[in-house]
Amino acid sequence: DAKTTQPPSMDCAEGRAANLPCNHSTISGNEYVYWYRQIHSQGPQYIIHGLKNNETNEMASLIITEDRKSSTLILPHATLRDTAVYYCIVRVGHNDYKLSFGAGTTVTVRA
Amino acid sequence: KAGVTQTPRYLIKTRGQQVTLSCSPISGHRSVSWYQQTPGQGLQFLFEYFSETQRNKGNFPGRFSGRQFSNSRSEMNVSTLELGDSALYLCASSLTGEIYNEQFFGPGTRLTVL
């Protein structure tokens, strides 16, 4: 599996955009980038995923660089309820049915 | 549509006992995965089932086992419990488990081994 690197923590002001970086320099062409978050003591929550193109849904936007070696998750208007651990995960192309979680980024949204 | 449900939510056992945890996936989902989360090791993959067959297995001892029924519901069993098995056990369901299908997690079962 391609490994990911994320900053251990970051702060964000409520109402501002939160930009969460992730490096995956060894990613292969058929590997997807997934983002999940985990609010304290709850199960991880799916946010978004992408292969090559940028993606947007009601929760966030995912920007993947052209060389696919890094990506950024954007929470457009962070709220206090967005405080969580955010995981960037790369999934391989075939016969990979698991999610390999790293340490993630602890995001704290401050009022 | 109902989400992934796990029962029980909390469980206390003593060393040497065995335990069975249950997971009901989202309706229509055929893949069920299990994860263990501890403060020291983080989230670790246990195994994945699809159509009653185990397709993937993580690096856990044989004391950890699972199965899936024809209705896609899944159970996991831990025998001869050890203190280190205390953890949050999470179940996730997916349409097929393929990499283009997202996995949806349940709230977890908090197991405490005394």
Side-chain angles (χ1 to χ4, degrees):
Chain A
D1 290 1
K3 295 294 186 282
T4 61
T5 303
Q6 299 178 253
S9 65
M10 62 183 292
D11 285 359
C12 176
E14 189 178 23
R16 304 294 294 269
N19 297 308
L20 283 63
C22 179
N23 285 324
H24 30 79
S25 58
T26 59
I27 194 169
S28 299
N30 60 354
E31 295 180 334
Y32 282 74
V33 179
Y34 272 77
W35 283 84
Y36 280 78
R37 73 180 183 183
Q38 188 174 25
I39 296 169
H40 184 61
S41 294
Q42 298 181 19
Q45 177 188 22
Y46 165 80
I47 300 174
I48 199 167
H49 73 282
L51 182 61
K52 296 179 183 177
N53 301 320
N54 298 336
E55 303 287 344
T56 295
N57 63 21
E58 64 277 5
M59 286 183 67
S61 295
L62 174 60
I63 308 298
I64 302 175
T65 57
E66 194 168 340
D67 63 7
R68 303 187 70 240
K69 293 184 184 301
S70 67
S71 61
T72 300
L73 178 74
I74 301 173
L75 307 178
H77 305 286
T79 70
L80 298 178
R81 286 179 292 183
D82 292 322
T83 293
V85 179
Y86 287 76
Y87 298 98
C88 170
I89 299 165
V90 172
R91 300 185 72 181
V92 299
H94 294 289
N95 301 322
D96 177 38
Y97 308 109
K98 66 181 182 297
L99 296 169
S100 297
F101 289 86
T105 296
T106 299
V107 174
T108 303
V109 181
R110 303 193 185 278
Chain B
K1 190 185 253 190
V4 178
T5 57
Q6 293 187 245
T7 56
R9 293 292 312 278
Y10 301 91
L11 206 49
I12 299 175
K13 291 286 188 179
T14 56
R15 281 179 297 174
Q17 288 187 308
Q18 74 162 20
V19 67
T20 299
L21 311 181
S22 180
C23 172
S24 292
I26 292 172
S27 178
H29 285 194
R30 298 171 62 190
S31 166
V32 174
S33 299
W34 288 90
Y35 295 81
Q36 181 198 63
Q37 186 171 29
T38 60
Q41 299 297 319
L43 270 155
Q44 293 188 288
F45 171 77
L46 280 156
F47 27 65
E48 187 264 358
Y49 287 88
F50 179 82
S51 291
E52 303 177 66
T53 300
Q54 185 183 90
R55 292 191 297 190
N56 248 26
K57 190 177 190 304
N59 294 323
F60 279 83
R63 300 184 297 106
F64 292 81
S65 63
R67 61 177 176 168
Q68 186 182 34
F69 302 95
S70 58
N71 62 357
S72 295
R73 190 177 69 86
S74 177
E75 290 180 346
M76 69 162 282
N77 184 277
V78 187
S79 63
T80 320
L81 283 166
E82 301 176 359
L83 295 180
D85 297 333
S86 294
L88 180 65
Y89 289 88
L90 292 155
C91 163
S93 82
S94 167
L95 274 171
T96 65
E98 301 289 347
I99 63 167
Y100 42 80
N101 291 149
E102 55 267 33
Q103 295 191 11
F104 297 92
F105 284 80
T109 294
R110 173 77 60 184
L111 172 65
T112 301
V113 181
L114 302 176

